Amino acid sequence: MTTNPQPPDTSVHARQHSIELLRIVAMLMVLFIHYNLPVRGKPNPAELQNNFLFSLESIGLQSLLIVCVNCFVLISGWFGIHWKRRSLFNLCFQVLFWALACYPLLLLLPHSGGNEITTYAANLLRQWFVWAYFGLYLFAPVLNDFIEKSSSRRLAFFVTAFYVFSTLFGYVCKAVADFNEGMSVISLIGLYLLGALMHRAEKQLPKRASVWLGGYLLCAFLLTGLTLIVFYFGGTSMPHGYLNPIVIIQSVCLFMFFQRLRINSPVILFFSSSAYAVYLAHMFPADCYTTLLHRIAGSGMGGYAECIAIIGFIVLVYLLAVLVDKVRIALFVLLFPKSTRHS
């Protein structure tokens, strides 16, 4: 993927850096969300009564983190995926690199599943986001053509119709299996078009970052409150889903909060350029990531010590993935030298 060339140090340049900061934050949220319910345990009505504060903490954390994937795709829609052969090779090379790099890691690190090649290959095929995002990349030229040829009004109408249909038949009724609760290429396409629409309407949207931060926190509060109401009436399903319209609005709010910031630092670009590698690095080696988190949580530290250990481990995973990915980038440049004819 490539983004539009960045101009010299201006407010626009700073805002682009702030969106790249969101890319980093969104991937950190992915790491934390794969700790929250998988390791801490999914709350239920009984657990809420027996351990209210712990359950409320898990629900609240989930409400804050659930926007992670949506925001990551909104960034792609905002900048646009510019389809070039070298970019496609880079994406394929990145996935292949981490698939090969993570297999020996699977053998070395503790995990609960088998480590046979067939089992590992099956695990790779279950990584919905990898293949849905790859599908989004392949469809990007058609989507870009539609965006460029559509007026703002027509694009807004289509995005609105998409999410009305998505909410009714994908989220509420679950009548259209293709949405797969938001874990599908069709859902990513909707987010991509929404990101493009937001870019079109950027000047008409509220300017103050605090307004968007307030919207993000309000949506998190609503999700937490809805979960408590569902549990109070005996339900067990949490309303935290990628297709939930509250989550979609919350994702937009967090995105626009970062977009309204003015941050300019080359350090941000160093980490954001390898954000996708963090996802691959922690998901490809089966359940090693959650197994190690389970060990930390079950070590008996408790309290602040456990919290610091969890945060430290998650940050360490992020840093190591970024550093290893720089090797991958250097290797790609070495194997596929850039040329204007094939770029």
Side-chain angles (χ1 to χ4, degrees), residues 63-84:
S63 299
L64 292 170
L65 299 174
I66 193 61
V67 298
C68 54
V69 171
N70 289 353
C71 284
F72 196 82
V73 181
L74 284 175
I75 294 172
S76 296
W78 178 275
F79 286 122
I81 296 175
H82 303 283
W83 213 99
K84 296 179 181 179

Side-chain angles (χ1 to χ4, degrees), residues 17-38:
H17 277 207
S18 67
I19 295 176
E20 292 301 318
L21 178 60
L22 173 60
R23 199 188 302 271
I24 298 171
V25 172
M27 200 50 65
L28 278 171
M29 284 180 161
V30 170
L31 295 181
F32 275 101
I33 207 169
H34 288 159
Y35 153 72
N36 188 30
L37 299 189

Side-chain angles (χ1 to χ4, degrees), residues 191-243:
L191 289 167
Y192 186 84
L193 295 174
L194 177 58
L197 177 62
M198 290 161 57
H199 200 176
R200 284 263 190 99
E202 185 264 334
K203 292 182 179 179
Q204 285 75 48
L205 297 174
K207 305 296 183 184
R208 295 178 60 182
S210 58
V211 172
W212 296 106
L213 179 61
Y216 164 72
L217 295 175
L218 176 61
C219 289
F221 178 80
L222 290 175
L223 287 172
T224 302
L226 281 174
T227 305
L228 295 178
I229 292 172
V230 169
F231 285 179
Y232 177 80
F233 287 101
T236 57
S237 298
M238 297 175 64
H240 299 74
Y242 298 131
L243 296 181

Side-chain angles (χ1 to χ4, degrees), residues 262-273:
R262 287 179 172 82
I263 301 172
N264 185 17
S265 172
V267 176
I268 292 175
L269 300 183
F270 177 85
F271 287 99
S272 68
S273 61

